[in-house]
């Protein structure tokens, strides 16, 4: 259309939903990679400064990214279509929520392992973190579920479904997989620790 119109006019703009969707889909892949890499990098830097260990941010970011990958592999495996806007919105929310859950458990574990064995520290950290993660995760998951059930706009339904499923996946990984990673990777965390004045 651009080529035909440009033969007759100096400048032309094609408008409408199909054109808008086409332009957005062309930029999505590149933008998505840039956003994902920058987000993981910035979260990693913040965790690096916060926990003063090079190993711990890697473990936490890996857990967070895994929950996002698992969440968005479901529509692919089931053959469902998904709006790319849903992907961007939910991955941002899921990144923020999961990092909070991971920080709570990691902070308790780092604090408690100075007073008791690593095994007891991870058990105690889970005991102390469980109410926080369960409360926050349940609220976010319920909100996503209700959004998906109440609205009739397909893009919003997709956001609700992905938010509900993603929060449940995040809670599962943080409560059952992250503690194992922290426990087994404790040597790496300690060897990569540094003092920041």
């Amino acid at each position: 259309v651009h080529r035909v119109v440009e033969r007759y006019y100096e400048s032309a703009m094609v408008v409408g939903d199909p054109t808008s969707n086409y332009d957005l889909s062309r930029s999505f892949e590149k933008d998505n990679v840039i956003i994902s890499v920058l987000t993981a990098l910035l979260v990693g830097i913040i965790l690096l400064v916060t926990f003063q260990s090079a190993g711990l941010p890697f473990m936490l970011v890996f857990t967070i990214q895994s929950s996002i990958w698992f969440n968005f592999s479901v529509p692919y495996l089931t053959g469902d279509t998904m709006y790319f806007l849903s992907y961007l919105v939910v991955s941002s929310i899921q990144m923020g929520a999961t990092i909070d859950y991971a920080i709570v458990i990691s902070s308790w574990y780092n604090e408690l392992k100075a007073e008791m064995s690593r095994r007891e520290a991870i058990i105690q950290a889970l005991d102390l973190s469980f109410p926080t993660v369960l409360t926050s995760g349940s609220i976010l998951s319920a909100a996503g579920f209700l959004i998906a059930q109440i609205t009739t706009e397909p893009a919003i339904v997709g956001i609700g479904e992905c938010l509900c499923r993603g929060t449940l996946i995040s809670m599962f990984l943080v409560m059952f997989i992250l503690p194992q990673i922290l426990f087994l990777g404790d040597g790496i965390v300690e060897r990569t620790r540094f003092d920041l004045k």
Side-chain angles (χ1 to χ4, degrees), residues 30-42 61 65 68-69 87-88 91 95:
K30 179 183 167 195
D31 291 350
N32 180 47
V33 170
I34 291 170
I35 290 168
S36 297
V37 169
L38 283 176
T39 303
L41 190 63
L42 290 173
V61 169
Q65 275 303 134
I68 293 169
W69 293 331
Y87 177 82
L88 292 176
S91 62
M95 174 71 83

Side-chain angles (χ1 to χ4, degrees), residues 106-184:
S106 302
S107 297
W108 276 117
Y109 176 64
N110 282 333
E111 188 177 316
L112 293 168
K113 72 181 180 180
E115 304 167 10
M116 55 187 76
S117 72
R118 289 186 310 128
R119 186 176 186 283
E120 291 172 350
I122 199 68
I123 292 169
Q124 188 69 24
L126 280 171
D127 285 345
L128 293 168
S129 304
F130 184 77
T132 304
V133 173
L134 185 65
T135 303
S136 173
S138 298
I139 291 169
L140 190 57
S141 183
F145 177 78
L146 290 173
I147 288 169
Q149 297 305 311
I150 292 171
T151 189
T152 56
E153 173 62 38
I156 308 289
V157 170
I159 289 173
E161 288 174 349
C162 290
L163 188 59
C164 178
R165 181 179 57 241
T167 304
L168 294 173
I169 291 169
S170 295
M171 288 170 57
F172 176 81
L173 288 181
V174 166
M175 293 302 291
F176 295 103
I177 305 300
L178 180 63
Q180 311 303 322
I181 292 172
L182 290 173
F183 184 79
L184 296 173

Side-chain angles (χ1 to χ4, degrees), residues 8 19 23 38 48-49 51 82 98 110 112 152 165 180 185:
Y8 303 101
T19 306
D23 289 342
L38 283 176
L48 179 74
V49 172
F51 287 107
M82 187 174 72
T98 309
N110 282 333
L112 293 168
T152 56
R165 181 179 57 241
Q180 311 303 322

Side-chain angles (χ1 to χ4, degrees), residues 79-98:
D80 291 340
T81 57
M82 187 174 72
Y83 292 89
F84 48 86
L85 183 62
S86 302
Y87 177 82
L88 292 176
V89 169
V90 173
S91 62
S92 300
I93 294 170
Q94 193 175 349
M95 174 71 83
T98 309

